[in-house]
Amino acid sequence: MERNVVYNTYGYRDREIQEGKNPGTFRVYSLGDSYTFGWYLPDPKQTYPKLLEKELNETQGLPAEVINAASPGFSVKEEVDRFLSEGRLFFPDLVMIGVNF
C-alpha cells in the first residue's frame, strides 16, 4: 500500500498547496484517519476529499480546493493539533473532520 502513496511537502497525500489562497477560492481543510486519507485507494483523486473538490468545482461555479490533510491512525485530538499547528496557515473557509467508528 505504501508504494502507491505520494506525499507533498507537508506530508499530506495531496498535490503541493500554497499556504495563502487565491482570492475567490473556497478552501476546505479535510482531516481524518485512513478512510479520509484513502489508504486502500491507489489514486488519490478517488479519495472523498478529492471527489468533493471535483464536485464543488463542477457545480458551484467558483474555484474550490479541498486539502486532504488526513493521516492513518489519527485521533480527533491529533487532527485538531494538526489544524492548530499548520492547518490555519492555509486559511480554510471550512474545516472538515471525518470520524469513523
Side-chain angles (χ1 to χ4, degrees):
M1 290 182 296
E2 189 70 27
R3 70 175 181 248
N4 294 324
V5 177
V6 176
Y7 297 94
N8 69 13
T9 304
Y10 288 92
Y12 303 163
R13 187 180 187 194
D14 210 326
R15 66 187 178 280
E16 290 298 327
I17 301 161
Q18 65 182 18
E19 288 179 1
K21 65 179 179 173
N22 293 326
T25 299
F26 181 75
R27 185 175 272 179
V28 179
Y29 190 77
S30 178
L31 293 155
D33 58 14
S34 58
Y35 289 93
T36 304
F37 179 84
W39 192 245
Y40 289 104
L41 297 172
D43 183 355
K45 292 179 184 172
Q46 294 303 310
T47 64
Y48 77 79
K50 291 300 157 186
L51 293 174
L52 174 61
E53 179 180 86
K54 182 178 185 231
E55 185 71 18
L56 289 171
N57 278 300
E58 290 177 357
T59 63
Q60 297 305 308
L62 69 143
E65 296 177 338
V66 180
I67 300 169
N68 189 350
S71 184
F74 258 26
S75 68
V76 173
K77 181 186 181 328
E78 290 167 310
E79 293 161 0
V80 170
D81 289 346
R82 174 169 271 185
F83 174 73
L84 293 174
S85 67
E86 62 196 40
R88 297 178 303 155
L89 301 173
F90 294 99
F91 300 98
D93 298 292
L94 177 70
V95 176
M96 178 173 71
I97 297 180
V99 178
N100 298 291
F101 296 98

